[in-house]
Structures are given as structure tokens and as C-alpha cells.
Amino acid sequence: MGGWRIVALAAVAAAVTACSPTSAEETEATGEATTTTTRTPRITDDSGRPPVTFDPCYDIPDDIMTAAGYDAGKKEVADMPMGSYTFLGCAYDKRDYVPGVRRGYGLNILSGNVTLDEELAKNGHVASPITVRDRAGLREVGPSGNNECTYVLQTEFGIVLFNRLYYTDSVEPAPQDEWCSGMDELVASIEQYLPR
């Protein structure tokens, strides 16, 4: 797994916060909120890289995640300023227990200002190029071990990572062809919300 992903995923697990979204600006004259077309970044870094303007917890509609079987009411937000890059993360759980097969999935969606080429350089040994709704990306099978699948999509500021862990119902790993099962449909349903 790439260096930034290890730190970013650790931050999702350890530094969960409940920040309010910053996509709406208050209008003084009316007192009503108006939605801007580009989110003001919650956090920035000092790298000179583009600001991360897509926040997975606030810019992916909850009904999309609910339709995919994830409990959007229990999503967890994490801020990850890294100095030389930034990731905004959101963690979801899907507990669709199948006895003897799986206990469900854990999904982290990370939006960061590293490039697709940098991601390929880190995980090229497990990556293959993909296109999702005319958007360039990568599919990484097992980037940090068994039962893991990651889709990476290119954006105007960098990348969005969809990192899913398959929770098996045994000590043995799931069959490798199951690690990414259903990810094509999930990622395609979210792609339309990503900035180009």
C-alpha cells in the first residue's frame, strides 16, 4: 500500500471528527443558504498542490450510499492534513452477514491531491487501468493484503480512492475473484458526483 494511503487510512480509523460542511455560504440579505458549485476545502496543506474540493462525506448523497447497502447515518468523517498532500476521508460499514461466507464490508472513500500517476507508481504491482463512465482510473486488487479492493478515479485536483475490505466469516481469505465483487456498480453510481 502506498505511503500516503497507510497514513490516510490510519487517520480515518483514529482521527474521526464531526465537522460541518462548508459548501453552503450564508447570504446576508436573505439569511438563506445558497449552494456553491465548488466546495471550499475543509483543510488545506502547504504543498502547492491543488486544494481538495470534493468531500466524500458531504458531496456523496446519502441515498446513493443507502441504496448500495451502506449505513449513511453512521458514516465517519476524518480530516487528514499531511503537509505535502491532503486527504479527506469518509468511512462506511455494510453489515450484510452471510453465515460462513462474510460478515460484511468496510469502505473508506478518500479524496486526495496526489496524482493518478503517483498512485500508479506506488501500487503498479497490483493495479490495472480502468475507465469508469469516461473517467481514467485504476483497479488495485489486494494493495495491502487479502480481501481488499481499491478503485482509484482521476479528478481535477488529484484522485478519489474507494478502498473496500471484505470481512470474511472465517480465518481463510475470501476467493480473490470476490474481493472486488460489486465495486464496478458502486463506483459508477458515485462517479457522477466527482469533479472532472
Side-chain angles (χ1 to χ4, degrees), residues 5-191:
R5 189 156 345 137
I6 291 170
V7 175
L9 290 176
V12 167
V16 173
T17 61
C19 297
S20 61
T22 57
S23 64
E25 297 174 346
E26 293 299 321
T27 305
E28 288 290 323
T30 64
E32 296 177 8
T34 57
T35 304
T36 60
T37 56
T38 303
R39 174 175 300 285
T40 302
R42 261 190 301 124
I43 55 173
T44 57
D45 56 54
D46 56 5
S47 68
R49 293 174 183 262
V52 179
T53 55
F54 178 80
D55 191 319
C57 271
Y58 297 123
D59 293 329
I60 300 171
D62 286 348
D63 60 341
I64 296 293
M65 298 308 295
T66 300
Y70 292 89
D71 187 349
K74 293 182 180 177
K75 64 186 174 185
E76 297 178 344
V77 181
D79 292 335
M80 293 162 271
M82 305 297 183
S84 59
Y85 49 85
T86 294
F87 277 93
L88 303 180
C90 196
Y92 295 89
D93 260 337
K94 180 179 183 181
R95 297 299 174 162
D96 57 345
Y97 182 57
V98 179
V101 178
R102 71 170 178 265
R103 297 189 172 276
Y105 302 101
L107 177 69
N108 291 312
I109 304 176
L110 302 169
S111 185
N113 58 358
V114 298
T115 68
L116 191 63
D117 287 340
E118 288 175 303
E119 178 65 18
L120 182 59
K122 293 279 186 187
N123 286 314
H125 62 290
V126 294
S128 57
I130 59 169
T131 302
V132 177
R133 297 172 55 121
D134 297 324
R135 187 186 299 266
L138 301 169
R139 177 166 54 172
E140 302 172 0
V141 180
S144 63
N146 291 333
N147 303 322
E148 186 182 15
C149 179
T150 300
Y151 276 51
V152 185
L153 298 183
Q154 188 172 39
T155 68
E156 63 188 12
F157 57 79
I159 59 174
V160 175
L161 295 150
F162 301 83
N163 176 263
R164 189 183 76 183
L165 186 61
Y166 183 121
Y167 300 132
T168 61
D169 195 28
S170 71
V171 295
E172 297 298 317
Q176 191 171 17
D177 62 349
E178 290 293 315
W179 298 358
C180 293
S181 176
M183 287 288 284
D184 287 337
E185 296 82 2
L186 173 65
V187 174
S189 73
I190 296 170
E191 184 279 337

